[in-house]
């Protein structure tokens, strides 16, 4: 009898554990459902209409992918290149949003493609011609056909009634995909077109960091008065763009519908399945990009032309300098056909062994930039660390950071902590301004 009671207690305990686990899982919303999976919510909005799609190779329904049953125990998942699983096997992907729409009878009349093209293979900033999707025959209209403008033409706008947006971004102000969405929203508002955003998680959506872009520094790598790391999904950002009056047509001028994700919060750390652009090769690069992108067009390579861009930094000027003992030599490759310092040995820092929690906790890490600037000055080079300014006197880092303040503070010898402290009031103000537009718990 005693043994029976003990057994019943054990069984009750097990049942209670599983019940609590199930309730906890439901409370946390562990089943993440992307907006593009919610066909019942958005297909009725497209019925009988001509549809344009803004997407690229990342527009996989539900981020479905294959994965082997085995994984190497000693593999750091943040270093697994997109397109492979942790055992090194190539993965296959689920259905693309274009194919899913066409199969369901949606009249897709045009595709808009962003920087890097519809298939995501072109170099940064490269001009890309219009083309046709071979599988469906739908015309692909490049927003990067010309350097003069990245907005759609009036002729392009006449080809559809509603724009559907499904694309994976990394949530940083100088990552250009959201800028293309902004231009398309602006054109749709001006032409009375509907916009339907199939929302996706932001892999950097768990924090906000960086200076706010100043209006006179708007460029092709920054268009909105938001921090570098803005901590919003595209659905939330689109609502803010419309609600704050950032469109030419004014406040609430866009006929906008957002199909939210289910089971997502801003504490959720999601793993991407495809490289969002050619030089973002794994999740570690997604997290480090906010800190290492500042080296673009300076005297320091960020690893373009290697298998680990944005996960290292170095320069030929750092040879034999303490703390810069990692060596790499950039070479020409797909997505980086003519990288900085091609064929030259660069001496720097390998960030692939930094604990990922340390990267998360640091947010934008300015120590990389500050220490590199100091080392460059110590090298005695007569070159300008920051590169060459444009005709308006703006350096590339000014465009990336949103003003000339970061460059000036680094040049004046300010510490990383002092520089980051200068952003905090603006960040808190932005968080309050964005709050009405958030769709997910913080």
């Amino acid at each position: 009898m005693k043994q029976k009671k003990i057994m019943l207690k054990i069984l009750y305990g097990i049942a209670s554990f599983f019940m609590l686990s199930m309730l906890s899982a439901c409370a946390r919303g562990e089943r993440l459902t992307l907006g593009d999976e919610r066909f019942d919510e958005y297909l009725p909005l497209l019925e009988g209409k001509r549809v344009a799609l803004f997407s690229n190779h990342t527009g996989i329904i539900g981020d479905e992918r294959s994965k082997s049953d085995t994984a190497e125990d000693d593999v750091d998942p943040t270093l697994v290149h997109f397109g492979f699983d942790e055992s090194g096997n190539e993965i296959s992907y689920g259905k693309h949003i274009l194919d899913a729409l066409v199969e369901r009878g949606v009249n897709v009349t045009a595709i808009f493609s962003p920087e890097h093209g519809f298939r995501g293979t072109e170099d940064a900033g490269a001009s890309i011609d219009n083309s046709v999707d071979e599988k469906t025959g739908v015309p692909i209209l490049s927003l990067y056909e010309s350097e003069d403008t990245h907005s759609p033409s009036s002729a392009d706008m006449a080809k559809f009634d509603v724009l559907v947006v499904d694309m994976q971004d990394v949530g940083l102000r100088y990552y250009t995909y959201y800028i293309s969405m902004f231009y398309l929203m602006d054109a749709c508002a001006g032409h009375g077109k509907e916009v339907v955003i199939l929302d996706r998680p932001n892999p950097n959506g768990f924090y906000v960091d960086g200076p706010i872009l100043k209006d006179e520094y708007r460029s092709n790598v920054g268009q909105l008065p938001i921090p570098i790391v803005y901590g919003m999904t595209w659905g939330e950002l689109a609502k803010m763009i419309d609600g704050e009056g950032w469109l030419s047509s004014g406040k609430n001028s866009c006929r906008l519908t957002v199909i939210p994700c289910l089971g997502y919060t801003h504490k959720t750390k999601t793993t991407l399945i495809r490289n969002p652009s050619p030089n973002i090769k794994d999740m570690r690069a997604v997290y480090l990009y906010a800190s290492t992108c500042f080296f673009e067009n300076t005297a320091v390579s960020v690893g373009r032309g290697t298998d680990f861009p944005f996960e290292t930094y170095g320069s030929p000027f750092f040879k034999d300098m303490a703390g810069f003992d990692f060596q790499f030599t950039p070479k020409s490759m797909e997505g980086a056909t003519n990288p900085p310092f091609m064929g030259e040995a660069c001496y720097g820092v390998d960030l692939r062994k930094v604990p990922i929690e340390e990267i998360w906790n640091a947010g934008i890490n300015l120590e990389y930039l500050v220490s590199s600037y100091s080392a460059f000055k110590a090298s005695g080079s007569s070159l300008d660390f920051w590169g060459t300014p444009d005709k308006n006197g703006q350096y590339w880092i000014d465009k990336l950071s949103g003003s000339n303040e970061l460059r000036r503070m680094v040049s004046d010898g300010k510490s990383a902590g002092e520089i980051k402290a200068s952003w905090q009031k603006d960040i808190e103000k932005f968080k309050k301004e964005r709050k009405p537009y958030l769709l997910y718990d913080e």
Side-chain angles (χ1 to χ4, degrees):
M1 188 70 176
K2 187 176 181 180
Q3 287 180 331
K4 186 176 180 181
K5 286 183 178 180
I6 293 172
M7 183 60 69
L8 286 172
K9 282 184 178 180
I10 292 172
L11 291 173
Y12 177 77
I14 292 172
S16 298
F17 171 79
F18 279 111
M19 181 61 72
L20 287 171
S21 297
M22 290 173 65
L23 289 172
S24 177
C26 291
R28 292 193 305 268
E30 287 185 346
R31 168 66 174 102
L32 175 60
T33 302
L34 304 192
D36 60 16
E37 297 179 82
R38 304 180 67 192
F39 292 106
D40 291 345
E41 296 293 322
Y42 65 88
L43 285 181
L45 305 176
L46 312 180
E47 192 172 343
K49 296 175 182 176
R50 299 172 303 156
V51 173
L53 176 66
F54 178 46
S55 188
N56 63 2
H57 61 292
T58 64
I60 304 299
I61 299 291
D63 274 5
E64 182 185 343
R65 62 172 176 172
S66 65
K67 191 171 184 180
S68 65
D69 295 330
T70 60
E72 301 294 332
D73 292 336
D74 59 346
V75 172
D76 182 346
T78 68
L79 291 172
V80 176
H81 277 196
F82 297 122
F84 299 88
D85 65 16
E86 291 177 22
S87 297
N89 302 308
E90 285 194 41
I91 63 175
S92 57
Y93 297 104
K95 193 158 291 184
H96 192 276
I97 181 64
L98 172 62
D99 299 325
L101 292 177
V102 171
E103 287 177 9
R104 285 166 173 77
V106 175
N107 181 21
V108 182
T109 57
I111 301 164
F112 286 106
S113 68
E115 184 179 17
H116 306 296
F118 186 58
R119 292 166 187 83
T121 58
E122 301 296 328
D123 281 10
S127 296
I128 305 167
D129 292 336
N130 291 340
S131 59
V132 174
D133 178 63
E134 293 180 3
K135 183 175 181 180
T136 62
V138 178
I140 300 174
L141 308 175
S142 172
L143 296 173
Y144 273 71
E145 189 178 20
S146 165
E147 292 184 3
D148 298 331
T149 179
H150 299 309
S151 296
S153 67
S154 295
D156 292 340
M157 297 302 296
K159 293 174 178 163
F160 67 95
D161 306 306
V162 55
L163 175 73
V164 172
V165 177
D166 184 23
M167 188 184 307
Q168 184 60 61
D169 191 76
V170 300
L172 303 179
R173 192 187 64 222
Y174 40 60
Y175 205 69
T176 63
Y177 294 167
Y178 85 89
I179 299 176
S180 293
M181 179 185 73
F182 167 65
Y183 289 152
L184 285 167
M185 284 181 64
D186 198 53
C188 285
H191 287 79
K193 309 289 185 177
E194 299 174 65
V195 177
V196 177
I197 295 180
L198 310 181
D199 214 11
R200 288 174 165 266
N202 176 355
N204 282 302
F206 55 93
Y207 75 108
V208 177
D209 202 358
I212 306 291
L213 175 76
K214 293 189 175 180
D215 190 61
E216 61 267 34
Y217 287 88
R218 291 175 64 177
S219 72
N220 290 333
V221 291
Q223 275 293 310
L224 303 177
I226 57 178
I228 289 172
V229 186
Y230 50 84
M232 305 172 79
T233 67
W234 269 20
E236 294 171 323
L237 181 61
K239 285 166 59 69
M240 189 172 191
I241 288 170
D242 193 33
E244 291 296 303
W246 294 341
L247 299 174
S248 301
S249 301
K251 280 189 176 184
N252 302 314
S253 60
C254 184
R255 298 166 63 190
L256 175 66
T257 302
V258 177
I259 308 299
C261 302
L262 302 177
Y264 173 74
T265 77
H266 284 285
K267 291 186 176 70
T268 307
K269 293 185 174 70
T270 56
T271 299
L272 307 187
I273 64 167
R274 300 199 78 163
N275 58 320
S277 55
N279 287 285
I280 302 290
K281 297 182 184 291
D282 55 39
M283 283 307 299
R284 183 167 291 254
V286 170
Y287 299 130
L288 284 169
Y289 188 62
S291 304
T292 54
C293 188
F294 291 130
F295 288 118
E296 298 276 44
N297 291 347
T298 69
V300 176
S301 166
V302 75
R304 287 185 185 271
T306 73
D307 288 332
F308 37 88
F310 299 106
E311 297 170 79
T312 187
Y313 59 92
S315 173
F317 298 102
F318 298 163
K319 186 177 182 180
D320 298 327
M321 287 192 173
F324 297 96
D325 52 2
F326 178 65
Q327 184 176 335
F328 61 90
T329 303
K331 62 181 181 180
S332 180
M333 58 174 57
E334 185 178 278
T337 54
N338 188 29
F341 303 114
M342 184 168 65
E344 296 185 57
C346 294
Y347 305 87
V349 178
D350 185 359
L351 300 172
R352 288 173 292 173
K353 293 183 179 179
V354 178
I356 199 66
E357 292 82 5
E358 186 177 312
I359 295 172
W360 290 339
N361 292 335
I364 293 179
N365 192 332
L366 292 178
E367 295 289 350
Y368 309 150
L369 184 64
V370 170
S371 63
S372 294
Y373 181 80
S374 296
F376 181 80
K377 298 302 286 185
S379 75
S381 174
S382 60
L383 298 176
D384 190 339
F385 176 85
W386 304 110
T388 305
D390 65 13
K391 62 183 180 181
N392 297 316
Q394 295 180 0
Y395 290 82
W396 192 250
I397 193 171
D398 299 342
K399 300 176 192 295
L400 293 173
S401 63
S403 76
N404 63 6
E405 292 171 9
L406 173 60
R407 174 173 55 84
R408 286 186 170 184
M409 284 189 283
V410 172
S411 299
D412 288 343
K414 300 292 186 183
S415 70
E418 288 175 314
I419 298 171
K420 289 199 70 167
S422 71
W423 305 340
Q424 296 312 307
K425 286 185 179 179
D426 286 341
I427 287 175
E428 293 308 312
K429 182 172 179 286
F430 171 77
K431 284 182 177 179
K432 290 178 181 178
E433 290 170 346
R434 73 169 189 162
K435 200 168 187 63
Y437 307 107
L438 295 183
L439 298 167
Y440 312 99
D441 291 341
E442 296 183 85

